[in-house]
Each structure stands twice: as structure tokens, then as C-alpha cells.
Amino acid sequence: MADPDAAMWTTIGAGSIGTALGVFGTIIVAMINRQPPMAVLIDARIRTLIEGYEKHVNDLQQEIQKLEAKVNALTKALEEAKASRGIGI
């Protein structure tokens, strides 16, 4: 069975690399073409990419918080189960 965490991190890694390459390419194009209308277009494109990246990061942070809460709940349940059994295993 495939590890869902590995698939998630693979997707995140690929998306991050793609975003970084897109931003880098956009910056290079802006530096080569220093025409004012093109600069405005490039600035808008960079802003859009950064906003998308920030949204993606926020979504990932929320997912991490949910997973941490689940881990904490499971750890607490495990400790309670150990205590109720009366053995410190």
C-alpha cells in the first residue's frame, strides 16, 4: 500500500519547485524586457504567483495543525489506556 504522506510530500515538493521555477523565469524575463508595459505585466504575474504560493503555504499550515491535534489526541488516549491498564508500558 502506498504511503499517503509520501505522496503528499511529493506533490508539495513538485508544486513548490514548479512555483519557484515560474517565479525565477518571470523575474529573468522582466530583467531582459525592461519595457514599462511589460514590467507592469510581470509585476502582476509575480504578485499572482506569490499570492498563490502564500495560499498554498497557509493551507499546508492548517493541515499540519490538524495533524498535530490528531497526534496529541491519540497520544493522550494512549496514555489514558496505559494508565487504566495499570501497567506502565
Side-chain angles (χ1 to χ4, degrees):
M1 188 183 310
D3 184 12
D5 289 337
M8 178 184 70
W9 287 112
T10 300
T11 304
I12 291 168
S16 298
I17 290 170
T19 301
L21 290 175
V23 169
F24 184 69
T26 303
I27 291 169
I28 289 176
V29 169
M31 292 172 65
I32 292 171
N33 299 318
R34 294 195 172 185
Q35 302 168 359
M38 184 62 128
V40 172
L41 179 63
I42 298 301
D43 288 344
R45 171 85 175 157
I46 290 172
R47 188 176 311 110
T48 301
L49 288 171
I50 290 173
E51 288 172 356
Y53 182 71
E54 287 175 346
K55 182 185 180 310
H56 189 64
V57 168
N58 288 337
D59 291 345
L60 291 174
Q61 288 175 338
Q62 290 175 357
E63 185 65 26
I64 289 169
Q65 290 173 352
K66 289 177 188 176
L67 293 172
E68 286 175 342
K70 287 180 182 180
V71 167
N72 290 338
L74 291 172
T75 302
K76 183 178 177 183
L78 180 61
E79 290 172 359
E80 289 173 358
K82 286 180 183 179
S84 69
R85 289 178 57 188
I87 52 177
I89 298 176

